[in-house]
Amino acid sequence: MEPTPEQSPHHAYPDHWEADVVLRDGGTARIRPITTDDAERLVSFYEQVSDESKYYRFFAPYPRLSDRDVHRFTHHDYVDRVGLAVTIGGEFIGTVRYDRIDDRGRPASAPADEAEVAFLVQDAHQGRGVASALLEHIAAVARERGIRRFAAEVLPANNKMIKVFRDGGYTQRRSFEDGSVHLTLDLEPTEKSLAVQRGREQRAEARSVQRLLAPGSVAVIGAGRNHGGVGRTVLRNLLAAGFTGRTYAVNRAFDEGLATLDGVPAHRSLGEIDEQVDLAVIAVPAHRVPEAVADCGEHGVQGLVVLSAGYAERGADGRELQRELVRQARSYGMRIIGPNAFGIINTAESVRLNASLAPESPARGRIGLFTQSGAIGIALLSGLHRRGAGLSSFISAGNRADVSGNDFLQYSFEDPDTDVALLYLESLGNPRKFTRLARRTAAVKPVVVVKGARHSGSTPPGHAVPVSRIPDATVSALMRQAGVIRVDTVTEMVDAGLLLAGQPLPAGPRVAILGNSESLGLLTYDACLAEGLRPRPPIDLTTAASPQDFRDALAEALADGTCDAVIVTAIPWVGENGEAETGDGQVLAEALTKAVAGGSAKPVAVVHVEIGGLAEALAAASSTAAPRPRTVTSAARTRAATTATTAQTTTSGTPAAQATNTGTGTGTPAAPEATTEPAAPDATTAPEAAPHPGRIPAYPAAERAVRALAEAVKYAQWRRQAAVPGKVPEFLDDTIDEAGAAALIEAQLSTAPDPRGRPLTHDEARELLGRYGVDVRPTLPAPDPEAAVAAAARLGYPVALKTTAPHLRHRADLGGVRLDLADEEALRRAYGDLTDLLGKPAELLPVVQAMAPRGVDTVVRASIDAAAGAVLSFGLAGAPSELLGDTAHRLVPATDRDAAELIRSIRAAPVLFGWRGSAPVDTAALEELLLRLSRLVDDHPEVVSVALEPVVVAPQGLTVLGASVRLAPPPARSDLGPRRLPNY
């Protein structure tokens, strides 16, 4: 007799299969296992499916489900028979089912590894990507249950279903048998299937944000009759901005006779509105929000902006209210910005949306802005307005319960009106995904980030995020590896954003400085040196210089091939009567604008002191809004996706490739005048028209202008190198025993049921690392002098005597290591000195090890961080490096370029390359070691930490003298598996 699900503990309801997903059109839906309680939902769903779709599913007319059918389709063991449903508003819109079969197609159980799969989607929801999402999730479920292949029979006329299978990216075989198409899909993920999945995710999430920012109609729920309330303020801001769609005021407290409010239709509920409402702005007390959300969901609203406070920022009870709010909204297929949000803005001429508390809508521009703080959002909007900068879009997400910075990056990548993405983030809900999206977006347009709440224990209220154990400096290094421009303050973010949005990327670090103040020029020169730029001696035009002199000097500098950027410094100039001109910034702005009007390929920034109206005049003379539309072509999108998985950051060295300039901060950097490597075409940017003059940014201090320019130089260098991505050398494959390492890891973990795992012994670590070609020099225990002498005789002199007690490990400065012991007498003497100084042998745990060739002592580590993922680290051994934090980091998997940059990016790197006449060490061997360790932790996530210390790098080769490895069950990965929205 076949057991029922209730009879077997192995068949309990798998709640981890539940997931919220974003569909192709930007709406959300829930995927969950079908249960015995779904009989009525299944019947209702089937009744709404067309006869044609039923025919395609059952290969015959099948008008209704029998009681036996309903029982079969709702009773599953969740192992050999599994059914999943997609629901909106609690009702089914699509289903999928698999049944495990043997090689003859008959029902079977494990170890059979094939299953028959079938889909059914309501006709009204076909074309929304429902079946594609179901395929991803049912495939993941099948792999979890030991199923490796799906078999499907599809009628030849069912082109939509054939396309779902064909476009999934899985390896498949197809044949035509008995009037139907027989498909077999291998469920092992491939590079293509992962790319397809992420491509669908990107388009769906971008579309979900686009629906919020470009609605056809908006209802403000909670707009009161009295002036000054939050809802009434948003309503007035919508009207003042000239929103092009339809606007409604909704409040259940309105009198029945009230027809309009501020000139727009007034209603007591959404049900009274005859037309579709796309976006609802909710500004009611928190206890009334569920009622408003239900009203929105039942009337087809697509998205919500929840301004109401009183959620997770208030503590545990508020956090649960917030989670229930997200669950409720997603159950209706709606996405949420907020709660506790400041609002959203879209300056596109076709939309003109200001659904925020900002009293004045910003000018139209090319900068997209996302912030998790309303206060910071206000400050940024004000700062950009003062600087004359325009925005393309603005989102203040508040508690970030649903729509996050990751969603904004997805939207920014697609948005043709956005050239630069600015993000103020206080937490990263999915850091791995953020890094992946940022890398892909940065390949086509700059991403500038300020990270608030940077120190442990300071996660802002309302944000549920993974706890990271790595320091903020490491997070910053990993962001830069992904091409993110990480700055410390919102002022620096505005400074960098203005330069990147209005000016071309610099081809290199060479800077020309010109102006009418020698002192200000020297300050700028010093600031350039401090930021790692290469300034030319400042050109002093003297205080008598006229605006025409500025124009001529700037034009000459732009034509000079020996510089890559120009900084203009200006103080009030002296007029004909010998008196200083203090207010005519308009004249100087016109002169500078005309100098760059020919379409300069070099960025220009202005540093000014007490020149009234100059910044405003420069902003008025040109705008961050480009005069032509841009699009990211499908080819460029594909190249950017490739870059996103392989592009690497670089902070020094000769660029790997150069490309022509496109004239804006989003374009590819211009090629330097001289390079030792051939030029390469831009791998990430869509073709566009000839360069055009952009807005010249003005700064009140030299340090601010130079810092913004330095960030642009580093980003441009990253873009050039991202065009020719690194790779993992093939030679590693011949010396790596992945299967052998997996067997060792499985055996070790089977003896340690503790979920925290266990550290490996020295010999166990040596064996595991040896499977990946990492040789660790052996050590022999020396519990007494005689054992030490015997060990030395076995290893051969000279030897080292070392303590391995945890408090003395790697502490030569405390006397726990004795080196170059050439004979037995020296070894016995050292043993006696060691025990007399530090304690008994049982406390010190001494070991003997053969001496390694002289070289530079280094430390190589790899670890799994809950927030950032697998991280590879490198630094020199010793207290100075630890005290100064001189350690470099890269995300795993690392490429050859990562390894090369990792060892060159520490401040002490010159020690490896012949500092002060010393012999350069074998950095090639060190790079290979880094790549091998990266492969180990990438292939085996159970290896949660590895420390190789010290690694002595000699002029020829290297020696690993110590190794520690810790194994644990692999941590959950939020960036793998089928698409799903996070639950914060």
Side-chain angles (χ1 to χ4, degrees):
M1 180 178 174
E2 182 177 298
T4 66
E6 292 76 17
Q7 292 174 311
S8 173
H10 300 292
H11 302 164
Y13 179 81
D15 54 10
H16 65 287
W17 293 350
E18 296 181 353
D20 293 315
V21 298
V22 182
L23 301 178
R24 182 180 301 155
D25 62 358
T28 66
R30 185 158 187 82
I31 295 179
R32 64 169 178 80
I34 297 175
T35 72
T36 55
D37 295 330
D38 288 322
E40 291 185 8
R41 294 186 185 89
L42 181 66
V43 171
S44 175
F45 158 73
Y46 194 77
E47 289 175 348
Q48 298 177 62
V49 174
S50 69
D51 291 339
E52 181 183 46
S53 294
K54 294 173 181 175
Y55 184 88
Y56 284 152
R57 169 64 177 85
F58 293 103
F59 290 27
Y62 216 88
R64 63 185 60 84
L65 296 175
S66 66
D67 292 343
R68 182 177 180 181
D69 292 329
V70 172
H71 183 275
R72 181 163 62 96
F73 291 149
T74 56
H75 286 68
H76 305 95
D77 61 13
Y78 303 125
V79 177
D80 299 326
R81 301 183 316 283
V82 172
L84 301 180
V86 180
T87 67
I88 294 179
E91 299 301 320
F92 286 7
I93 66 167
T95 63
V96 64
R97 173 186 172 90
Y98 82 64
D99 293 89
R100 195 189 301 256
I101 57 175
D102 60 19
D103 54 2
R104 296 185 179 181
R106 298 176 300 187
S109 298
D113 61 358
E114 183 171 332
E116 188 174 35
V117 66
F119 297 77
L120 186 60
V121 177
Q122 248 180 43
D123 296 69
H125 294 277
Q126 291 178 11
R128 300 186 66 197
V130 174
S132 299
L134 279 173
L135 177 58
E136 290 179 20
H137 283 261
I138 198 69
V141 168
R143 288 193 298 269
E144 180 183 327
R145 296 310 196 201
I147 292 171
R148 297 291 172 258
R149 292 181 306 282
F150 273 161
E153 299 289 337
V154 185
L155 288 175
N158 193 357
N159 295 317
K160 292 181 180 179
M161 199 67 246
I162 293 175
K163 189 175 187 299
V164 168
F165 288 118
R166 185 186 66 225
D167 294 347
Y170 299 102
T171 302
Q172 61 179 269
R173 295 175 295 280
R174 186 184 307 186
S175 61
F176 189 77
E177 302 174 9
D178 299 328
S180 66
V181 179
H182 181 81
L183 295 167
T184 302
L185 277 71
D186 293 332
L187 299 184
E188 189 66 27
T190 64
E191 288 188 13
K192 182 178 180 181
S193 67
L194 186 60
V196 167
Q197 176 179 312
R198 288 179 172 172
R200 288 170 173 165
E201 172 193 67
Q202 190 276 321
R203 291 187 293 274
E205 292 179 357
R207 173 60 179 156
S208 72
V209 176
Q210 194 270 339
R211 293 205 317 178
L212 291 163
L213 286 172
S217 55
V218 177
V220 181
I221 300 177
R225 299 189 63 177
N226 296 327
H227 299 288
V230 172
R232 187 70 174 271
T233 299
V234 172
L235 179 63
R236 289 192 166 182
N237 291 343
L238 273 167
L239 299 175
F243 176 55
T244 59
R246 300 174 303 281
T247 306
Y248 304 95
V250 178
N251 193 325
R252 69 175 185 178
F254 283 160
D255 296 333
E256 292 187 7
L258 182 67
T260 64
L261 184 69
D262 288 337
V264 304
H267 300 278
R268 292 166 57 87
S269 70
L270 287 174
E272 297 179 2
I273 301 175
D274 296 332
E275 300 176 275
Q276 169 75 34
V277 173
D278 297 330
L279 175 70
V281 180
I282 297 180
V284 299
H287 69 274
R288 287 182 48 202
V289 170
E291 175 189 347
V293 172
D295 193 22
C296 292
E298 290 167 3
H299 293 92
V301 173
Q302 296 179 349
L304 306 175
V305 176
V306 181
L307 307 181
S308 311
Y311 289 90
E313 75 276 9
R314 297 287 181 87
D317 292 341
R319 185 181 300 280
E320 186 53 42
L321 283 176
Q322 182 169 298
R323 288 172 174 159
E324 181 55 38
L325 167 65
V326 174
R327 284 192 291 266
Q328 183 187 15
R330 287 180 179 174
S331 72
Y332 288 109
M334 298 182 294
R335 298 212 68 180
I336 297 177
I337 291 176
N340 197 24
F342 185 73
I344 60 176
I345 297 173
N346 184 353
T347 64
E349 186 62 27
S350 60
V351 181
R352 300 199 300 271
L353 172 74
N354 180 8
S356 77
L357 297 173
E360 184 175 353
S361 185
R364 187 182 178 194
R366 310 290 304 177
I367 296 173
L369 176 60
F370 177 91
T371 172
Q372 291 179 356
S373 162
I376 297 297
I378 295 171
L380 284 168
L381 289 174
S382 176
L384 288 165
H385 177 72
R386 286 196 311 271
R387 305 282 290 276
L391 291 179
S392 58
S393 59
F394 166 77
I395 293 178
S396 172
N399 291 2
R400 192 201 27 70
D402 182 21
V403 172
S404 68
N406 286 347
D407 297 294
F408 184 73
L409 282 176
Q410 301 277 41
Y411 170 77
S412 298
F413 177 76
E414 289 275 346
D415 183 29
D417 293 329
T418 298
D419 286 347
V420 179
L422 307 183
L423 296 93
Y424 171 78
L425 305 175
E426 293 178 342
S427 61
L428 297 175
N430 189 337
R432 288 185 175 119
K433 181 176 178 180
F434 173 82
T435 302
R436 170 169 58 85
L437 300 185
R439 177 181 289 134
R440 185 198 56 203
T441 305
V444 294
K445 58 187 70 173
V447 177
V448 187
V449 170
V450 172
K451 178 68 169 64
R454 291 180 291 178
H455 303 291
S456 59
S458 58
T459 299
H463 294 222
V465 298
V467 177
S468 176
R469 298 184 302 273
I470 60 178
D472 182 68
T474 305
V475 175
S476 182
L478 300 180
M479 280 191 177
R480 290 195 177 276
Q481 182 189 0
V484 172
I485 300 170
R486 169 82 182 271
V487 294
D488 294 329
T489 67
V490 292
T491 300
E492 292 177 356
M493 179 164 70
V494 172
D495 287 345
L498 291 177
L499 181 70
L500 292 163
Q503 293 294 302
L505 292 177
R510 303 169 299 176
V511 182
I513 303 169
L514 61 92
N516 62 351
S517 168
E518 181 180 11
S519 298
L520 189 53
L522 290 174
L523 286 173
T524 305
Y525 182 89
D526 291 341
C528 286
L529 291 176
E531 292 292 338
L533 302 177
R534 290 164 48 193
R536 291 168 48 185
I539 300 172
D540 183 14
L541 303 178
T542 76
T543 55
S546 67
Q548 183 63 42
D549 294 328
F550 274 91
R551 175 180 175 179
D552 294 341
L554 177 55
E556 183 178 350
L558 293 173
D560 188 349
T562 63
C563 72
D564 305 306
V566 183
I567 297 179
V568 178
T569 62
I571 62 173
W573 61 90
V574 177
E576 294 180 358
N577 59 0
E579 295 182 0
E581 299 282 351
T582 59
D584 199 3
Q586 178 70 38
V587 178
L588 180 57
E590 291 177 358
L592 297 177
T593 302
K594 289 177 180 178
V596 301
S600 168
K602 300 174 184 178
V604 178
V606 174
V607 178
H608 67 99
V609 176
E610 297 300 330
I611 300 184
L614 176 60
E616 295 80 359
L618 286 170
S622 53
S623 170
T624 53
R628 65 185 182 282
R630 303 168 189 235
T631 59
V632 178
T633 65
S634 58
R637 186 179 295 113
T638 301
R639 291 193 296 268
T642 302
T643 301
T645 59
T646 55
Q648 309 303 324
T649 188
T650 296
T651 57
S652 61
T654 303
Q658 313 297 344
T660 59
N661 180 42
T662 57
T664 69
T666 59
T668 304
E673 181 184 18
T675 179
T676 58
E677 301 186 44
D682 178 14
T684 57
T685 306
E688 55 181 298
H692 70 282
R695 178 190 188 279
I696 301 176
Y699 302 89
E703 296 78 9
R704 289 173 58 179
V706 171
R707 193 173 296 119
L709 179 59
E711 295 294 354
V713 168
K714 287 182 282 190
Y715 170 68
Q717 191 174 28
W718 181 88
R719 281 277 294 270
R720 288 190 291 267
Q721 296 200 344
V724 183
K727 60 183 179 180
V728 177
E730 295 181 359
F731 70 84
L732 293 180
D733 297 332
D734 299 331
T735 55
I736 288 177
D737 181 8
E738 184 177 346
L744 288 174
I745 292 170
E746 183 178 4
Q748 295 298 337
L749 286 178
S750 65
T751 63
D754 190 336
R756 295 173 296 180
R758 61 176 289 257
L760 299 186
T761 66
H762 176 76
D763 290 339
E764 291 169 345
R766 282 191 67 225
E767 184 179 8
L768 176 60
L769 291 166
R771 301 285 184 174
Y772 273 71
V774 178
D775 296 322
V776 182
R777 182 153 292 204
T779 61
L780 296 177
D784 54 57
E786 300 305 321
V789 171
R794 179 177 173 185
L795 295 173
Y797 288 98
V799 297
L801 178 68
K802 305 189 292 185
T803 64
T804 59
H807 66 289
L808 294 171
R809 187 184 297 272
H810 309 309
R811 293 301 306 275
D813 55 314
L814 297 180
V817 179
R818 305 299 170 91
L819 304 175
D820 286 319
L821 305 176
D823 51 35
E824 180 178 338
E825 180 182 355
L827 177 60
R828 289 183 180 275
R829 184 168 57 251
Y831 199 99
D833 292 344
L834 201 66
T835 53
D836 290 344
L837 177 66
L838 300 175
K840 298 178 181 180
E843 299 172 352
L844 304 180
L845 305 175
V847 297
V848 174
Q849 189 174 51
M851 283 295 299
R854 291 289 186 180
V856 177
D857 289 0
T858 65
V859 181
V860 176
R861 293 189 176 94
S863 61
I864 305 295
D865 181 77
V871 178
L872 186 66
S873 304
F874 170 77
L876 298 190
S881 291
E882 292 184 18
L883 288 172
L884 296 174
D886 191 17
T887 305
H889 311 273
R890 292 293 185 273
L891 290 173
V892 170
T895 67
D896 53 356
R897 178 176 292 164
D898 279 327
E901 287 302 322
L902 191 59
I903 64 177
R904 289 165 174 81
S905 56
I906 59 172
R907 294 191 293 275
V911 174
L912 303 170
F913 296 93
W915 186 60
R916 288 188 174 181
S918 62
V921 301
D922 192 349
T923 54
L926 185 56
E927 291 169 17
E928 181 180 335
L929 175 66
L930 290 165
L931 290 170
R932 290 183 182 278
L933 188 59
S934 171
R935 278 286 302 273
L936 172 64
V937 297
D938 189 44
D939 291 345
H940 306 285
E942 300 90 351
V943 181
V944 294
S945 69
V946 180
L948 307 181
E949 182 179 5
V951 178
V952 182
V953 190
Q956 295 292 328
L958 57 77
T959 307
V960 181
L961 297 182
S964 60
V965 178
R966 184 174 185 83
L967 302 181
R973 291 287 301 271
S974 58
D975 61 328
L976 296 178
R979 291 173 282 157
R980 64 173 61 216
L981 286 170
N983 293 310
Y984 298 119

